[in-house]
């Protein structure tokens, strides 16, 4: 008998709730699903990292508004760095000194890793500066939150330089849509996901004319819901998945879990990390899922939808304003974005950094280390590139 090759499930980048419900019902009726958690996994996580979005939206203590004196200190640090006449890759917490603001930022970084997992720094005077000056200020203040900047493109595309800052802007009206493979270059809705790295930071140069709300959701809260209601999906998420390499000839795909459990140690609490982006399993626009790699399973398709819809149901909408910098613990929080509309001269424009704080950084799970090395290892000052304008994103390999 010839074995029939398993096909990719009926699943797309944009989640379909009706398909999700039908798949759940079908699996529960026709499959025997695990009713207990994988050995050692917690039945419930208790931590400030567990929160519901509605509670976050009622609070204001996650916003730190910069004072006039602190903004003047940022301006002085900018002028001092400019006087050094160094390339921007040399921006760090020593060349961009913030004597009074640094202790505040170090406390906020601690809260990123050991507290609630996110904060918003509010009030940068972005309209008073040139693009280059805004980049220097953004990289400078961020160096006191996480002093290691990460690469935002795969080293396979590198010419000896490393792109460490990206622009998040709709390019679909300026370039052929057939060349766009990442939602960050469109005005489309961006579903819940994580990026590469420890800390995801976004600076808002200008909000959208309409829409574009920034959403976050506690992945630890999502874990608790699944652990209680669908332990079988915890098994699915903690097993290997075929992650698309999108044209990587040497490594067409990699196998790794999406969920990692780290037992408590003498120096760190028990942790659960969920790391995934949906497009690696569904494709997106000009980057469809590769046809010559193993398909995902029906269980994995359901798990992808479960992560998205649970995150959506428990999300917080952040009031992301011009001059805000958003810092998010990428290891404990999912993020997403609503679709938006621009107006000529009033276009949504964010800048992004991927950061790491050696003092508080979490241990990187072994299956993620190659990817983390691609982002953070040996990113020398001389190779760092900070483009002034947006360009199409090229994938950081998994």
């Amino acid at each position: 008998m010839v074995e029939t090759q398993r096909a990719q499930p009926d699943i797309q980048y944009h989640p379909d709730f009706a398909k999700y419900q039908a798949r759940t019902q079908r699996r529960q009726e026709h499959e025997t699903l695990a009713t207990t958690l994988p050995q050692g996994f917690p039945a419930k996580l208790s931590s400030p990292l567990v929160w519901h979005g509605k509670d976050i939206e009622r609070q204001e203590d996650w916003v730190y508004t910069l004072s006039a004196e602190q903004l003047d200190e940022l301006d002085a640090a900018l002028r001092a760095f400019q006087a050094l006449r160094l390339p921007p890759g040399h921006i760090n917490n020593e060349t961009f000194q913030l004597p009074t603001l640094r202790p505040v930022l170090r406390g906020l970084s601690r809260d990123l890793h050991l507290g609630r997992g996110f904060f918003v720094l509010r009030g940068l005077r972005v309209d008073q500066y040139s693009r280059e000056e805004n980049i220097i200020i953004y990289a400078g203040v961020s160096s006191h939150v996480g002093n290691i900047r990460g690469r935002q493109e795969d080293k396979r595309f590198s010419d000896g330089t490393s792109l460490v800052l990206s622009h998040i802007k709709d390019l679909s009206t300026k370039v052929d849509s057939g060349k766009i493979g990442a939602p960050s270059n469109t005005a489309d809705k961006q579903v819940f996901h994580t990026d590469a790295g420890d800390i995801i930071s976004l600076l808002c140069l200008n909000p959208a004319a309409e829409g574009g709300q920034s959403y976050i959701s506690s992945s630890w809260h999502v874990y608790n819901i699944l652990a209680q209601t669908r332990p079988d999906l915890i098994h699915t998420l903690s097993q290997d998945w075929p992650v698309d390499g999108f044209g990587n000839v040497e490594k067409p795909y990699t196998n790794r879990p999406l969920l990692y459990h780290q037992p408590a140690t003498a120096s760190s609490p028990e942790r659960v990390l969920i790391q995934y982006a949906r497009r690696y399993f569904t494709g997106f626009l000009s980057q469809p899922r590769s046809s010559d790699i193993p398909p995902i399973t029906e269980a994995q398709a359901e798990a992808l939808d479960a992560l998205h819809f649970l995150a959506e149901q428990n999300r917080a909408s952040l009031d992301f304003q011009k001059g805000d910098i958003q810092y998010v613990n990428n290891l404990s929080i999912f993020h997403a974005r609503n679709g938006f509309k621009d107006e000529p001269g009033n276009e949504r424009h964010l800048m992004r950094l991927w950061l790491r704080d050696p003092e508080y950084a979490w241990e990187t799970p072994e299956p993620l280390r190659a990817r983390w090395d691609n982002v953070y290892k040996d990113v020398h000052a001389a190779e760092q590139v900070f483009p002034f304008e947006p360009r199409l994103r090229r994938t950081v390999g998994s």
Side-chain angles (χ1 to χ4, degrees):
M1 179 182 291
V2 178
E3 184 177 350
T4 303
Q5 187 170 351
R6 180 166 50 84
Q8 174 81 354
D10 180 16
I11 187 169
Q12 294 77 37
Y13 174 77
H14 289 292
D16 184 315
F17 190 68
K19 287 183 181 178
Y20 167 50
Q21 287 183 307
R23 179 173 281 117
T24 296
Q25 181 177 349
R26 190 166 59 245
R27 294 194 64 234
Q28 289 179 329
E29 288 177 352
H30 299 290
E31 298 181 38
T32 302
L33 306 179
T35 57
T36 58
L37 291 167
Q39 185 174 0
F41 277 62
K44 184 177 182 179
L45 292 163
S46 297
S47 165
L49 291 167
V50 179
W51 44 260
H52 193 292
K54 287 187 174 62
D55 296 328
I56 295 300
E57 291 176 347
R58 286 193 288 263
Q59 300 165 1
E60 296 182 354
D61 57 345
W62 45 268
V63 177
Y64 186 89
T65 301
L66 294 163
S67 68
E69 292 76 17
Q70 290 168 331
L71 290 167
D72 289 343
E73 184 173 78
L74 286 173
D75 187 78
L78 164 68
R79 305 307 170 194
F81 180 79
Q82 288 175 319
L84 296 174
R85 299 187 179 278
L86 293 170
H90 290 270
I91 300 170
N92 57 51
N93 55 29
E94 295 180 353
T95 60
F96 195 93
Q97 294 191 14
L98 300 172
T100 62
L101 187 53
R102 176 173 170 79
V104 173
L105 296 172
R106 294 309 300 145
L108 290 169
S109 183
R110 187 180 190 281
D111 195 53
L112 272 180
H113 295 83
L114 301 172
R116 186 162 34 203
F118 73 97
F119 70 92
V120 171
L121 199 64
R122 176 152 293 167
L124 289 185
R125 301 164 174 163
V126 293
D127 286 340
Q128 295 185 19
Y129 296 106
S130 68
R131 180 64 51 76
E132 181 179 13
E133 289 172 333
N134 274 317
I135 288 173
I136 293 171
I137 291 171
Y138 178 33
V141 71
S142 296
S143 71
H144 294 269
V145 177
N147 201 36
I148 301 175
R149 284 184 291 272
R151 300 179 182 91
Q152 304 209 16
E153 287 185 350
D154 194 305
K155 285 191 291 186
R156 287 182 292 135
F157 304 127
S158 175
D159 57 0
T161 63
S162 290
L163 185 83
V164 296
L165 178 137
S166 288
H167 295 262
I168 311 299
K169 195 172 184 182
D170 177 22
L171 301 180
S172 61
T173 61
K174 298 179 176 63
V175 301
D176 180 0
S177 61
K179 296 180 180 179
I180 296 177
S184 57
N185 294 141
T186 73
D188 207 349
K189 173 183 178 180
Q190 201 165 9
V191 302
F192 280 96
H193 66 288
T194 62
D195 286 1
D198 294 6
I199 303 169
I200 308 306
S201 171
L202 293 167
L203 164 62
C204 182
L205 291 176
N206 198 60
E210 181 182 334
Q213 289 86 357
S214 178
Y215 301 131
I216 60 172
S217 191
S218 166
S219 62
W220 284 33
H221 184 50
V222 169
Y223 172 89
N224 280 350
I225 295 171
L226 288 175
Q228 181 179 8
T229 63
R230 291 296 303 276
D232 61 295
L233 293 183
I234 299 296
H235 282 268
T236 299
L237 290 165
S238 62
Q239 295 162 357
D240 277 348
W241 291 54
V243 184
D244 203 333
F246 290 127
N248 187 335
V249 177
E250 295 179 2
K251 214 178 251 193
Y253 69 97
T254 54
N255 280 312
R256 68 167 180 86
L258 304 195
L259 184 153
Y260 305 88
H261 174 235
Q262 295 179 334
T265 68
S267 58
S268 62
E270 180 178 39
R271 290 170 174 152
V272 165
L273 292 67
I274 303 178
Q275 286 295 292
Y276 88 109
R278 187 178 176 99
R279 67 189 182 91
Y280 285 100
F281 308 102
T282 65
F284 181 83
L285 291 184
S286 71
Q287 282 190 326
R289 182 166 173 83
S290 300
S291 59
D292 56 348
I293 68 174
I296 64 173
T297 66
E298 286 290 323
Q300 289 171 334
E302 186 192 4
L304 281 179
D305 281 345
L307 290 179
H308 172 78
F309 287 114
L310 286 173
E312 190 171 62
Q313 291 163 14
N314 296 280
R315 75 188 185 196
S317 179
L318 298 186
D319 181 21
F320 206 22
Q321 304 175 12
K322 177 183 286 194
D324 281 0
I325 308 180
Q326 178 178 301
Y327 295 94
V328 171
N329 182 334
N330 187 56
L331 305 177
S332 69
I333 291 176
F334 301 134
H335 63 279
R337 179 195 75 204
N338 196 10
F340 63 91
K341 292 182 181 179
D342 282 332
E343 294 175 351
N346 188 24
E347 299 162 332
R348 186 179 192 267
H349 190 169
L350 312 182
M351 293 193 296
R352 181 181 67 194
L353 293 169
W354 289 344
L355 307 167
R356 183 174 176 87
D357 182 351
E359 181 177 359
Y360 297 121
W362 294 9
E363 180 185 356
T364 305
E366 192 280 329
L368 293 177
R369 287 177 190 167
R371 189 180 193 196
W372 258 237
D373 283 350
N374 190 80
V375 174
Y376 291 124
K377 188 175 181 181
D378 300 330
V379 188
H380 301 295
E383 74 186 65
Q384 296 182 31
V385 173
F386 297 74
F388 288 2
E389 297 297 333
R391 69 192 207 190
L392 287 179
R393 183 186 172 200
R394 293 180 288 184
T395 303
V396 171
S398 292

PDB file of all heavy atoms in Angstrom, residues 24 27-36 230-233 235 299 302:
ATOM      1  N   THR A  24     -11.439  22.282  16.596  1.00  0.00           N
ATOM      2  CA  THR A  24     -11.472  21.859  17.992  1.00  0.00           C
ATOM      3  C   THR A  24     -12.531  20.783  18.201  1.00  0.00           C
ATOM      4  O   THR A  24     -12.264  19.743  18.829  1.00  0.00           O
ATOM      5  CB  THR A  24     -11.761  23.059  18.908  1.00  0.00           C
ATOM      6  OG1 THR A  24     -10.687  24.003  18.800  1.00  0.00           O
ATOM      7  CG2 THR A  24     -11.896  22.626  20.355  1.00  0.00           C
ATOM      8  N   ARG A  27     -11.483  17.432  16.545  1.00  0.00           N
ATOM      9  CA  ARG A  27     -10.420  16.725  17.256  1.00  0.00           C
ATOM     10  C   ARG A  27     -10.945  16.124  18.563  1.00  0.00           C
ATOM     11  O   ARG A  27     -10.567  15.007  18.933  1.00  0.00           O
ATOM     12  CB  ARG A  27      -9.243  17.662  17.539  1.00  0.00           C
ATOM     13  CG  ARG A  27      -8.516  18.125  16.279  1.00  0.00           C
ATOM     14  CD  ARG A  27      -7.173  18.760  16.617  1.00  0.00           C
ATOM     15  NE  ARG A  27      -6.298  17.770  17.225  1.00  0.00           N
ATOM     16  CZ  ARG A  27      -5.690  17.923  18.389  1.00  0.00           C
ATOM     17  NH1 ARG A  27      -5.882  19.004  19.122  1.00  0.00           N
ATOM     18  NH2 ARG A  27      -4.895  16.968  18.864  1.00  0.00           N
ATOM     19  N   GLN A  28     -11.782  16.867  19.264  1.00  0.00           N
ATOM     20  CA  GLN A  28     -12.309  16.349  20.532  1.00  0.00           C
ATOM     21  C   GLN A  28     -13.250  15.165  20.313  1.00  0.00           C
ATOM     22  O   GLN A  28     -13.341  14.281  21.164  1.00  0.00           O
ATOM     23  CB  GLN A  28     -13.022  17.472  21.289  1.00  0.00           C
ATOM     24  CG  GLN A  28     -12.057  18.512  21.842  1.00  0.00           C
ATOM     25  CD  GLN A  28     -12.746  19.648  22.576  1.00  0.00           C
ATOM     26  OE1 GLN A  28     -13.881  20.015  22.244  1.00  0.00           O
ATOM     27  NE2 GLN A  28     -12.086  20.218  23.567  1.00  0.00           N
ATOM     28  N   GLU A  29     -13.915  15.131  19.167  1.00  0.00           N
ATOM     29  CA  GLU A  29     -14.841  14.027  18.881  1.00  0.00           C
ATOM     30  C   GLU A  29     -14.123  12.785  18.362  1.00  0.00           C
ATOM     31  O   GLU A  29     -14.566  11.660  18.627  1.00  0.00           O
ATOM     32  CB  GLU A  29     -15.877  14.478  17.847  1.00  0.00           C
ATOM     33  CG  GLU A  29     -16.902  15.461  18.394  1.00  0.00           C
ATOM     34  CD  GLU A  29     -17.870  15.940  17.325  1.00  0.00           C
ATOM     35  OE1 GLU A  29     -17.642  15.608  16.124  1.00  0.00           O
ATOM     36  OE2 GLU A  29     -18.838  16.647  17.664  1.00  0.00           O
ATOM     37  N   HIS A  30     -13.006  12.960  17.655  1.00  0.00           N
ATOM     38  CA  HIS A  30     -12.408  11.836  16.944  1.00  0.00           C
ATOM     39  C   HIS A  30     -11.004  11.452  17.428  1.00  0.00           C
ATOM     40  O   HIS A  30     -10.438  10.470  16.955  1.00  0.00           O
ATOM     41  CB  HIS A  30     -12.342  12.137  15.443  1.00  0.00           C
ATOM     42  CG  HIS A  30     -13.686  12.351  14.814  1.00  0.00           C
ATOM     43  ND1 HIS A  30     -14.599  11.325  14.632  1.00  0.00           N
ATOM     44  CD2 HIS A  30     -14.283  13.480  14.350  1.00  0.00           C
ATOM     45  CE1 HIS A  30     -15.695  11.812  14.066  1.00  0.00           C
ATOM     46  NE2 HIS A  30     -15.532  13.120  13.884  1.00  0.00           N
ATOM     47  N   GLU A  31     -10.433  12.220  18.348  1.00  0.00           N
ATOM     48  CA  GLU A  31      -9.096  11.898  18.840  1.00  0.00           C
ATOM     49  C   GLU A  31      -9.134  11.715  20.349  1.00  0.00           C
ATOM     50  O   GLU A  31      -9.982  12.269  21.043  1.00  0.00           O
ATOM     51  CB  GLU A  31      -8.104  13.020  18.491  1.00  0.00           C
ATOM     52  CG  GLU A  31      -7.920  13.246  17.001  1.00  0.00           C
ATOM     53  CD  GLU A  31      -6.902  14.343  16.715  1.00  0.00           C
ATOM     54  OE1 GLU A  31      -5.890  14.408  17.465  1.00  0.00           O
ATOM     55  OE2 GLU A  31      -7.114  15.129  15.779  1.00  0.00           O
ATOM     56  N   THR A  32      -8.188  10.914  20.836  1.00  0.00           N
ATOM     57  CA  THR A  32      -8.009  10.765  22.278  1.00  0.00           C
ATOM     58  C   THR A  32      -6.948  11.761  22.718  1.00  0.00           C
ATOM     59  O   THR A  32      -5.763  11.615  22.382  1.00  0.00           O
ATOM     60  CB  THR A  32      -7.581   9.329  22.639  1.00  0.00           C
ATOM     61  OG1 THR A  32      -8.563   8.409  22.161  1.00  0.00           O
ATOM     62  CG2 THR A  32      -7.416   9.186  24.134  1.00  0.00           C
ATOM     63  N   LEU A  33      -7.353  12.785  23.436  1.00  0.00           N
ATOM     64  CA  LEU A  33      -6.466  13.888  23.788  1.00  0.00           C
ATOM     65  C   LEU A  33      -5.962  13.743  25.219  1.00  0.00           C
ATOM     66  O   LEU A  33      -6.687  13.279  26.100  1.00  0.00           O
ATOM     67  CB  LEU A  33      -7.207  15.221  23.631  1.00  0.00           C
ATOM     68  CG  LEU A  33      -7.855  15.466  22.266  1.00  0.00           C
ATOM     69  CD1 LEU A  33      -8.576  16.816  22.263  1.00  0.00           C
ATOM     70  CD2 LEU A  33      -6.822  15.422  21.145  1.00  0.00           C
ATOM     71  N   ALA A  34      -4.728  14.137  25.426  1.00  0.00           N
ATOM     72  CA  ALA A  34      -4.124  14.050  26.769  1.00  0.00           C
ATOM     73  C   ALA A  34      -4.915  14.891  27.759  1.00  0.00           C
ATOM     74  O   ALA A  34      -5.368  15.997  27.447  1.00  0.00           O
ATOM     75  CB  ALA A  34      -2.677  14.510  26.718  1.00  0.00           C
ATOM     76  N   THR A  35      -5.061  14.377  28.947  1.00  0.00           N
ATOM     77  CA  THR A  35      -5.814  15.084  29.996  1.00  0.00           C
ATOM     78  C   THR A  35      -4.915  15.547  31.146  1.00  0.00           C
ATOM     79  O   THR A  35      -5.396  16.165  32.098  1.00  0.00           O
ATOM     80  CB  THR A  35      -6.925  14.190  30.559  1.00  0.00           C
ATOM     81  OG1 THR A  35      -6.337  12.982  31.066  1.00  0.00           O
ATOM     82  CG2 THR A  35      -7.942  13.844  29.480  1.00  0.00           C
ATOM     83  N   THR A  36      -3.633  15.227  31.059  1.00  0.00           N
ATOM     84  CA  THR A  36      -2.686  15.681  32.074  1.00  0.00           C
ATOM     85  C   THR A  36      -1.541  16.424  31.385  1.00  0.00           C
ATOM     86  O   THR A  36      -1.276  16.231  30.191  1.00  0.00           O
ATOM     87  CB  THR A  36      -2.108  14.510  32.878  1.00  0.00           C
ATOM     88  OG1 THR A  36      -1.466  13.586  31.974  1.00  0.00           O
ATOM     89  CG2 THR A  36      -3.216  13.779  33.630  1.00  0.00           C
ATOM     90  N   ARG A 230      -6.954  22.744  28.339  1.00  0.00           N
ATOM     91  CA  ARG A 230      -6.494  21.929  27.217  1.00  0.00           C
ATOM     92  C   ARG A 230      -5.047  21.491  27.424  1.00  0.00           C
ATOM     93  O   ARG A 230      -4.140  21.908  26.691  1.00  0.00           O
ATOM     94  CB  ARG A 230      -6.634  22.707  25.904  1.00  0.00           C
ATOM     95  CG  ARG A 230      -8.059  22.956  25.443  1.00  0.00           C
ATOM     96  CD  ARG A 230      -8.796  21.655  25.104  1.00  0.00           C
ATOM     97  NE  ARG A 230      -8.116  20.882  24.095  1.00  0.00           N
ATOM     98  CZ  ARG A 230      -8.229  21.078  22.778  1.00  0.00           C
ATOM     99  NH1 ARG A 230      -9.017  22.032  22.314  1.00  0.00           N
ATOM    100  NH2 ARG A 230      -7.577  20.312  21.923  1.00  0.00           N
ATOM    101  N   PRO A 231      -4.806  20.624  28.405  1.00  0.00           N
ATOM    102  CA  PRO A 231      -3.420  20.181  28.623  1.00  0.00           C
ATOM    103  C   PRO A 231      -2.814  19.495  27.408  1.00  0.00           C
ATOM    104  O   PRO A 231      -1.590  19.473  27.257  1.00  0.00           O
ATOM    105  CB  PRO A 231      -3.542  19.231  29.817  1.00  0.00           C
ATOM    106  CG  PRO A 231      -4.985  18.850  29.884  1.00  0.00           C
ATOM    107  CD  PRO A 231      -5.736  20.030  29.371  1.00  0.00           C
ATOM    108  N   ASP A 232      -3.661  18.917  26.538  1.00  0.00           N
ATOM    109  CA  ASP A 232      -3.128  18.282  25.335  1.00  0.00           C
ATOM    110  C   ASP A 232      -2.400  19.294  24.446  1.00  0.00           C
ATOM    111  O   ASP A 232      -1.403  18.948  23.785  1.00  0.00           O
ATOM    112  CB  ASP A 232      -4.247  17.608  24.534  1.00  0.00           C
ATOM    113  CG  ASP A 232      -5.307  18.596  24.065  1.00  0.00           C
ATOM    114  OD1 ASP A 232      -6.002  19.170  24.929  1.00  0.00           O
ATOM    115  OD2 ASP A 232      -5.441  18.803  22.840  1.00  0.00           O
ATOM    116  N   LEU A 233      -2.866  20.546  24.428  1.00  0.00           N
ATOM    117  CA  LEU A 233      -2.201  21.553  23.606  1.00  0.00           C
ATOM    118  C   LEU A 233      -0.880  22.001  24.221  1.00  0.00           C
ATOM    119  O   LEU A 233       0.015  22.458  23.505  1.00  0.00           O
ATOM    120  CB  LEU A 233      -3.131  22.745  23.367  1.00  0.00           C
ATOM    121  CG  LEU A 233      -4.369  22.456  22.508  1.00  0.00           C
ATOM    122  CD1 LEU A 233      -5.177  23.728  22.276  1.00  0.00           C
ATOM    123  CD2 LEU A 233      -3.992  21.814  21.167  1.00  0.00           C
ATOM    124  N   HIS A 235       1.104  19.791  25.542  1.00  0.00           N
ATOM    125  CA  HIS A 235       1.956  18.755  24.941  1.00  0.00           C
ATOM    126  C   HIS A 235       2.340  19.153  23.522  1.00  0.00           C
ATOM    127  O   HIS A 235       3.522  19.075  23.134  1.00  0.00           O
ATOM    128  CB  HIS A 235       1.208  17.413  24.910  1.00  0.00           C
ATOM    129  CG  HIS A 235       1.154  16.696  26.213  1.00  0.00           C
ATOM    130  ND1 HIS A 235       2.105  15.761  26.596  1.00  0.00           N
ATOM    131  CD2 HIS A 235       0.266  16.760  27.237  1.00  0.00           C
ATOM    132  CE1 HIS A 235       1.796  15.287  27.793  1.00  0.00           C
ATOM    133  NE2 HIS A 235       0.681  15.876  28.208  1.00  0.00           N
ATOM    134  N   ALA A 299      -3.264  19.101  15.100  1.00  0.00           N
ATOM    135  CA  ALA A 299      -3.095  19.550  16.488  1.00  0.00           C
ATOM    136  C   ALA A 299      -2.316  20.859  16.541  1.00  0.00           C
ATOM    137  O   ALA A 299      -2.648  21.771  17.317  1.00  0.00           O
ATOM    138  CB  ALA A 299      -2.388  18.478  17.307  1.00  0.00           C
ATOM    139  N   GLU A 302      -4.523  23.723  15.426  1.00  0.00           N
ATOM    140  CA  GLU A 302      -5.422  24.147  16.499  1.00  0.00           C
ATOM    141  C   GLU A 302      -4.669  24.945  17.559  1.00  0.00           C
ATOM    142  O   GLU A 302      -5.164  25.954  18.077  1.00  0.00           O
ATOM    143  CB  GLU A 302      -6.114  22.951  17.151  1.00  0.00           C
ATOM    144  CG  GLU A 302      -7.162  23.401  18.164  1.00  0.00           C
ATOM    145  CD  GLU A 302      -7.686  22.283  19.060  1.00  0.00           C
ATOM    146  OE1 GLU A 302      -7.185  21.151  18.966  1.00  0.00           O
ATOM    147  OE2 GLU A 302      -8.588  22.578  19.877  1.00  0.00           O
TER     148      GLU A 302
END
